[in-house]
Amino acid sequence: MAASKFALLLLFVWCFSEFHIGVGVQNLSREEGIELKKQLKLLNKPAVTTIKTIYGEKYDCVDFYKQPAFDHPALTNHNFHPEMRPNQYPKGRIYEDSFTTHQPFINIWQNGQGCPTGTVPIKRITRDDFIKIQLVREIYAETYEPLTIQEPGTHYAILYTNRGTGKKFNGGGMGTTVYNPQPVTGSQYSSSQLKVANRGDSIEVGWTVNPSLYKDNRTRLFIYTRAGASRCFNTRCPGFVIVRTDLPLDMILEPYSRVGHNIYGKTLQIQRDPPNGNWWLQVGPNMTQVGFWPKNIFTGLADLATYIEWGAKAYSPPTIPSPPMGSGEPMITGDVTRDAFAKDITTINEASQIVDATETSTFEDIKEYEVLDEGITTEYRHLIYYGGEGTYVGK
């Protein structure tokens, strides 16, 4: 069975089982069951050991060289290793910690350290997880230009680089407040993300509340990769190479901001390494390297990016009220204690210099979500506010 047909079948099975309790993967034919087991075996690599987080979640510590990334056919003869770091770092100002309280990466592991040296943390995927992931992947998918062709039920409040300027980018960054908008239920999600793209390729990093993907309503770190026809969250498809032993891509982010209380944030940067073209994910004010997307897996992003986007995105089935975005409050005054915001909005130019993002525009497709561009400020540099309480019902 072709992989695409198999994925569509799984989508049908999952959607059908949503309305018929007890109906699900057990109804797959023998051939389909074999294909499902094959896919799970590819994703679930042998564990050197298994460890738990302080939240009780289990992660397999997988040998660096056996992680899912290297199943990608373009990485068969790679020379990557666990100690890899960028060869060249962008020049320019260092991100400053101007959140009320910067959200640290707390030690989330019961053993206090994470996985052993030479391994990387990857969450094991069950059969039900796999089926749901196919649905979420399809929902999250978008065209390279999401402002012109909307997926039904998907809504934006973003700042983006203007097209037609001829500019190319070695990446971008932002510091974004971390919230836990509620309620987000069923197949809904609510996210804040940084995105870089070129033609059919795009990579995103941010935080999300996504119960379909994670089976809970916690705020989590995520990446989303679109390389040609391949697209997935975190390590659900091959390509992203993890180099950290202690920072899983789907980790729970706590504490998070609350309106009228402390404001917690995360600094995120996607940086292209000019000597080899690999795209690095870096987090926190010290720009900790979590891992990288190799140049080899891309077509458009084998070159520099031509488009960058900052802000938020939310989804709900068209006939169901949309979920809250950002802080979940109606945006009225642009108050940093009330509204979700992104600061230090930057691009990394062709000369590999970090600069304030310019020649940008804002976009919001429904009145229930808003984005306000404050431009360059004294304390926060380039600053935007975004969010809303949702409740829009599509047709």
Short mmCIF file of all heavy atoms in Angstrom, two decimals, residues 283-309:
data_model
loop_
_atom_site.label_atom_id
_atom_site.label_comp_id
_atom_site.label_asym_id
_atom_site.label_seq_id
_atom_site.Cartn_x
_atom_site.Cartn_y
_atom_site.Cartn_z
N VAL A 283 17.87 28.07 21.48
CA VAL A 283 16.86 28.53 22.42
C VAL A 283 17.52 29.15 23.64
O VAL A 283 18.64 28.81 24.02
CB VAL A 283 15.94 27.37 22.86
CG1 VAL A 283 15.17 26.80 21.67
CG2 VAL A 283 16.73 26.27 23.54
N GLY A 284 16.77 30.08 24.28
CA GLY A 284 17.25 30.70 25.51
C GLY A 284 18.19 31.86 25.22
O GLY A 284 18.72 32.01 24.11
N PRO A 285 18.41 32.73 26.21
CA PRO A 285 19.27 33.90 26.00
C PRO A 285 20.71 33.54 25.67
O PRO A 285 21.43 34.34 25.07
CB PRO A 285 19.17 34.65 27.34
CG PRO A 285 18.76 33.61 28.34
CD PRO A 285 17.89 32.65 27.59
N ASN A 286 21.14 32.33 26.04
CA ASN A 286 22.50 31.89 25.73
C ASN A 286 22.59 31.13 24.41
O ASN A 286 23.65 30.60 24.06
CB ASN A 286 23.03 31.00 26.87
CG ASN A 286 23.14 31.76 28.18
OD1 ASN A 286 23.48 32.95 28.19
ND2 ASN A 286 22.83 31.09 29.27
N MET A 287 21.48 31.08 23.68
CA MET A 287 21.44 30.42 22.38
C MET A 287 21.94 28.99 22.44
O MET A 287 22.87 28.58 21.73
CB MET A 287 22.23 31.22 21.34
CG MET A 287 21.63 32.57 20.99
SD MET A 287 20.07 32.45 20.06
CE MET A 287 18.87 32.71 21.37
N THR A 288 21.30 28.19 23.30
CA THR A 288 21.64 26.78 23.43
C THR A 288 21.23 26.04 22.16
O THR A 288 20.09 26.14 21.71
CB THR A 288 20.93 26.16 24.65
OG1 THR A 288 21.35 26.84 25.83
CG2 THR A 288 21.23 24.68 24.76
N GLN A 289 22.15 25.27 21.58
CA GLN A 289 21.84 24.52 20.35
C GLN A 289 21.11 23.23 20.70
O GLN A 289 21.67 22.37 21.40
CB GLN A 289 23.12 24.20 19.58
CG GLN A 289 23.73 25.38 18.88
CD GLN A 289 24.71 26.14 19.78
OE1 GLN A 289 25.33 25.55 20.66
NE2 GLN A 289 24.84 27.44 19.57
N VAL A 290 19.89 23.08 20.21
CA VAL A 290 19.11 21.87 20.43
C VAL A 290 19.39 20.85 19.34
O VAL A 290 19.47 19.65 19.59
CB VAL A 290 17.61 22.19 20.48
CG1 VAL A 290 16.78 20.91 20.63
CG2 VAL A 290 17.31 23.15 21.62
N GLY A 291 19.56 21.33 18.11
CA GLY A 291 19.81 20.45 16.98
C GLY A 291 19.75 21.24 15.69
O GLY A 291 19.70 22.47 15.70
N PHE A 292 19.73 20.52 14.55
CA PHE A 292 19.75 21.22 13.27
C PHE A 292 19.03 20.42 12.19
O PHE A 292 18.89 19.20 12.27
CB PHE A 292 21.19 21.52 12.84
CG PHE A 292 22.04 20.29 12.61
CD1 PHE A 292 22.18 19.74 11.34
CD2 PHE A 292 22.72 19.69 13.66
CE1 PHE A 292 22.96 18.63 11.11
CE2 PHE A 292 23.52 18.56 13.45
CZ PHE A 292 23.64 18.03 12.18
N TRP A 293 18.57 21.19 11.18
CA TRP A 293 18.01 20.61 9.96
C TRP A 293 19.12 20.61 8.91
O TRP A 293 19.57 21.69 8.47
CB TRP A 293 16.85 21.46 9.44
CG TRP A 293 15.63 21.52 10.29
CD1 TRP A 293 14.53 20.71 10.20
CD2 TRP A 293 15.33 22.47 11.33
NE1 TRP A 293 13.57 21.10 11.10
CE2 TRP A 293 14.04 22.17 11.82
CE3 TRP A 293 16.02 23.53 11.90
CZ2 TRP A 293 13.43 22.90 12.84
CZ3 TRP A 293 15.43 24.26 12.92
CH2 TRP A 293 14.15 23.94 13.39
N PRO A 294 19.59 19.46 8.45
CA PRO A 294 20.65 19.44 7.43
C PRO A 294 20.17 20.04 6.11
O PRO A 294 19.02 19.87 5.72
CB PRO A 294 20.96 17.95 7.27
CG PRO A 294 20.47 17.32 8.54
CD PRO A 294 19.26 18.11 8.93
N LYS A 295 21.06 20.72 5.44
CA LYS A 295 20.76 21.31 4.14
C LYS A 295 20.25 20.26 3.16
O LYS A 295 19.36 20.52 2.34
CB LYS A 295 22.02 21.98 3.59
CG LYS A 295 21.93 22.44 2.15
CD LYS A 295 23.26 22.99 1.65
CE LYS A 295 23.18 23.40 0.19
NZ LYS A 295 24.47 23.97 -0.28
N ASN A 296 20.80 19.03 3.26
CA ASN A 296 20.52 17.98 2.28
C ASN A 296 19.06 17.61 2.17
O ASN A 296 18.62 17.07 1.15
CB ASN A 296 21.30 16.71 2.63
CG ASN A 296 22.77 16.96 2.84
OD1 ASN A 296 23.16 17.95 3.44
ND2 ASN A 296 23.60 16.04 2.37
N ILE A 297 18.26 17.85 3.22
CA ILE A 297 16.86 17.39 3.18
C ILE A 297 15.96 18.38 2.45
O ILE A 297 14.79 18.08 2.22
CB ILE A 297 16.31 17.13 4.60
CG1 ILE A 297 16.07 18.44 5.36
CG2 ILE A 297 17.23 16.20 5.37
CD1 ILE A 297 15.32 18.27 6.67
N PHE A 298 16.49 19.55 2.10
CA PHE A 298 15.68 20.61 1.52
C PHE A 298 15.95 20.83 0.03
O PHE A 298 17.00 20.43 -0.49
CB PHE A 298 15.93 21.94 2.25
CG PHE A 298 15.49 21.95 3.68
CD1 PHE A 298 16.43 22.06 4.70
CD2 PHE A 298 14.16 21.85 4.02
CE1 PHE A 298 16.04 22.08 6.03
CE2 PHE A 298 13.75 21.85 5.34
CZ PHE A 298 14.69 21.98 6.36
N THR A 299 15.00 21.52 -0.59
CA THR A 299 15.19 22.08 -1.93
C THR A 299 15.22 23.60 -1.84
O THR A 299 16.25 24.22 -2.10
CB THR A 299 14.06 21.63 -2.88
OG1 THR A 299 14.04 20.20 -2.94
CG2 THR A 299 14.29 22.17 -4.29
N GLY A 300 14.10 24.21 -1.41
CA GLY A 300 14.08 25.66 -1.25
C GLY A 300 15.05 26.15 -0.18
O GLY A 300 15.84 27.07 -0.40
N LEU A 301 15.00 25.54 0.99
CA LEU A 301 15.87 25.95 2.09
C LEU A 301 17.27 25.36 2.00
O LEU A 301 18.08 25.49 2.92
CB LEU A 301 15.24 25.59 3.44
CG LEU A 301 14.09 26.52 3.87
CD1 LEU A 301 13.46 26.02 5.17
CD2 LEU A 301 14.56 27.96 4.03
N ALA A 302 17.60 24.74 0.87
CA ALA A 302 19.00 24.43 0.59
C ALA A 302 19.74 25.73 0.33
O ALA A 302 20.97 25.79 0.41
CB ALA A 302 19.11 23.50 -0.61
N ASP A 303 18.97 26.77 0.02
CA ASP A 303 19.49 28.14 -0.12
C ASP A 303 19.02 28.94 1.09
O ASP A 303 18.47 28.39 2.04
CB ASP A 303 18.97 28.75 -1.42
CG ASP A 303 19.70 30.03 -1.82
OD1 ASP A 303 20.63 30.43 -1.10
OD2 ASP A 303 19.31 30.62 -2.84
N LEU A 304 19.22 30.25 1.07
CA LEU A 304 18.77 31.10 2.16
C LEU A 304 17.23 31.18 2.16
O LEU A 304 16.59 30.81 1.18
CB LEU A 304 19.36 32.51 2.04
CG LEU A 304 20.83 32.68 2.46
CD1 LEU A 304 21.77 32.08 1.43
CD2 LEU A 304 21.16 34.16 2.67
N ALA A 305 16.67 31.67 3.25
CA ALA A 305 15.22 31.87 3.35
C ALA A 305 14.83 33.14 2.61
O ALA A 305 15.61 34.09 2.51
CB ALA A 305 14.79 31.95 4.80
N THR A 306 13.62 33.16 2.09
CA THR A 306 13.09 34.36 1.43
C THR A 306 11.90 34.94 2.18
O THR A 306 11.36 35.97 1.78
CB THR A 306 12.64 34.02 -0.01
OG1 THR A 306 11.71 32.95 0.03
CG2 THR A 306 13.85 33.63 -0.86
N TYR A 307 11.51 34.27 3.28
CA TYR A 307 10.31 34.69 4.02
C TYR A 307 10.48 34.30 5.48
O TYR A 307 10.95 33.20 5.80
CB TYR A 307 9.08 33.99 3.44
CG TYR A 307 7.79 34.19 4.21
CD1 TYR A 307 6.99 35.31 3.99
CD2 TYR A 307 7.34 33.25 5.14
CE1 TYR A 307 5.79 35.49 4.68
CE2 TYR A 307 6.15 33.42 5.83
CZ TYR A 307 5.38 34.55 5.60
OH TYR A 307 4.20 34.73 6.28
N ILE A 308 10.11 35.23 6.40
CA ILE A 308 10.14 34.94 7.83
C ILE A 308 8.83 35.46 8.44
O ILE A 308 8.30 36.49 8.02
CB ILE A 308 11.34 35.60 8.53
CG1 ILE A 308 12.65 35.16 7.86
CG2 ILE A 308 11.37 35.22 10.02
CD1 ILE A 308 13.89 35.71 8.51
N GLU A 309 8.36 34.73 9.45
CA GLU A 309 7.07 35.05 10.08
C GLU A 309 7.20 34.90 11.59
O GLU A 309 7.86 33.99 12.08
CB GLU A 309 6.04 34.08 9.52
CG GLU A 309 4.65 34.16 10.09
CD GLU A 309 3.77 33.07 9.46
OE1 GLU A 309 3.61 33.07 8.22
OE2 GLU A 309 3.27 32.20 10.20
#
